[in-house]
Amino acid sequence: MRRICAVNRYVRPVSGTLLRRLALTSIIANVGIVVTGGAVRLTASGLGCPTWPRCTDASYVATSEMGGHGVIEFGNRMLTFAVGLIALATVLAVLAHRPRRPGLLALAVAVFLGIPAQAVVGGLTVLTNLNPWVVGLHFLASMAVIAAAYALWRRIADPDGPTVAVVPAPLRALARVTTGVAVAVLVIGTWVTGSGPHAGDQGAARNGLDPESISQVHADSVFLLIGLSVALIFAFRAVGARRATRAAVVLLAVELGQGLIGFVQYFTHVPAVLVGAHMLGSCLVLLATLSVQWSTRERRPVAPAPWAAAPADTEAVPATA
C-alpha cells in the first residue's frame, strides 16, 4: 500500500484541458484513417499487401517488388498504430486525471479496443479478397470508433451531475429517430459503394446489387434524413432550445453538402476524388448527428452538501473574553 501511494505521489495529474485535446485528437485521427483507407481503395491498392497480418507471406513490410500499391496499403496499416497510440495516451491521461471521473475510463478503453478490432476487420477484407460486404463492415467499424471517441470528448466537457432533458420527450424521440435514419444512410451507402466501380483491386468482386437501384434507395434515405433535420430545426426553435437548434442547423448544412457531393459524383461517373470527399462527409454527418443527440440534454453540476462548507460569516465570530 505504501508503495502504491509513493508511486501516485510522483504521477503528475493531467488537466481536463489536455484530456479533452487528446480526445479531440483521437476523433480527428480516426476520421483521418477513414479517409486514408478510402485512398487505399480508390487507388486500387486494397491488395497491395496481399495477406494479413503480414504484408506478404515472407515479410511484414512492403517490398520494392510490390510497387506503389504496396507502399500505400502498408502505409495505411502503419497509420493504425499511430491512431492506437493516441487512444492509448488518452487512456493513460484518463487514469492520471484527478479527481477520477465516472464513465471516462470505460469510453477511453472502448475507443482503444475498437482500433485493433477495426484492424482485424480490415485484415479480413484482405483475406477475403476485398469482399464488398466485409469492406462495408470495415467502414462501419470505423464509424463506431468515431462515435465512441466523440462520446468521450463530450463527456469530458460535461460536469458529473445528473442528466437533465432540455427539450420535451417527443423532440428527444424525434432526435433519436433522426440518428437512426442517419445510421441507415451510412449502412446503405456501403451497399452503394459495394456495387460501384471502386472495388479496391481490379479483380475484387462486387456485391451484385444494381448500382442505379441501390443509389436511388440511398438518395431516398438521404431525403428522409434531410426532412427530419428540417423538422428538428423548427421544433427546437419552437420550444426555445437554442443550442439544439444550432446543432440541427449544422447537421442540415453538412447533409446538404454531402448530398451535393453525392449527386455530382453520381452524374460524373463516380470520380475517385469525389468518392474520397464523400467518405469524409460521411464522418461529418455522423459527428453532426451525434451533436444533435447531445444537444437534447445536459448534465448539471453536483450540488454541494449543506454541511460541505461552513457559512462565510461563521469564521468571523469574535472570541469572547
Side-chain angles (χ1 to χ4, degrees):
M1 183 68 180
R2 291 180 180 177
R3 184 176 300 175
I4 295 175
C5 293
V7 171
N8 288 335
R9 186 181 305 171
Y10 293 103
V11 174
R12 185 176 180 180
V14 172
S15 67
T17 300
L18 176 58
L19 192 57
R20 197 159 192 249
R21 287 175 179 173
L22 280 171
L24 179 59
T25 302
S26 185
I27 295 174
I28 295 171
N30 279 285
V31 170
I33 203 166
V34 169
V35 176
T36 59
V40 171
R41 181 168 58 83
L42 295 171
T43 57
S45 302
L47 294 178
C49 288
T51 188
W52 186 89
R54 296 184 178 186
C55 193
T56 68
D57 291 334
S59 175
Y60 281 97
V61 300
T63 62
S64 58
E65 292 81 4
M66 300 169 66
H69 292 318
V71 172
I72 294 173
E73 165 64 7
F74 181 72
N76 188 64
R77 292 187 183 188
M78 291 299 98
L79 286 176
T80 301
F81 289 99
V83 176
L85 287 175
I86 295 171
L88 177 60
T90 306
V91 172
L92 296 177
V94 168
L95 291 173
H97 182 65
R98 296 293 183 275
R100 291 285 180 85
R101 298 184 55 198
L104 296 189
L105 183 59
L107 287 171
V109 170
V111 174
F112 176 67
L113 295 181
I115 292 169
Q118 186 258 17
V120 170
V121 178
L124 291 176
T125 66
V126 175
L127 297 177
T128 58
N129 294 319
L130 304 183
N131 181 290
W133 300 106
V134 183
V135 172
L137 181 61
H138 187 42
F139 171 79
L140 295 176
S142 294
M143 295 295 102
V145 176
I146 291 172
Y150 180 84
L152 174 62
W153 180 66
R154 291 298 297 260
R155 182 66 185 86
I156 292 170
D158 287 342
D160 293 328
T163 301
V164 179
V166 297
V167 298
L171 298 191
R172 298 199 303 275
L174 180 60
R176 288 193 291 269
V177 170
T178 304
T179 301
V181 172
V183 172
V185 168
L186 295 176
V187 173
I188 299 172
T190 65
W191 301 348
V192 176
T193 300
S195 68
H198 298 291
D201 184 81
Q202 294 180 355
R206 302 283 72 203
N207 59 21
L209 299 176
D210 178 62
E212 185 173 351
S213 298
I214 196 62
S215 294
Q216 184 61 56
V217 173
H218 184 56
D220 292 342
S221 64
V222 170
F223 285 131
L224 175 60
L225 179 59
I226 290 175
L228 289 170
S229 300
V230 172
L232 282 175
I233 292 173
F234 284 103
F236 288 154
R237 183 175 295 175
V239 298
R242 295 182 179 179
R243 186 165 63 97
T245 301
R246 288 195 299 268
V249 169
V250 171
L251 173 60
L252 178 62
V254 172
E255 290 166 353
L256 292 176
Q258 176 75 333
L260 177 62
I261 294 173
F263 275 108
V264 172
Q265 74 173 8
Y266 180 78
F267 289 108
T268 56
H269 307 292
V270 201
V273 173
L274 289 182
V275 174
H278 202 56
M279 293 184 69
L280 173 60
S282 297
C283 298
L284 298 180
V285 167
L286 173 65
L287 292 171
T289 303
L290 294 174
S291 177
V292 170
Q293 195 66 52
W294 248 262
S295 70
T296 62
R297 80 326 167 257
E298 64 181 21
R299 285 182 179 271
R300 304 282 171 81
V302 179
W307 57 85
D313 57 355
T314 61
E315 298 180 0
V317 176
T320 58

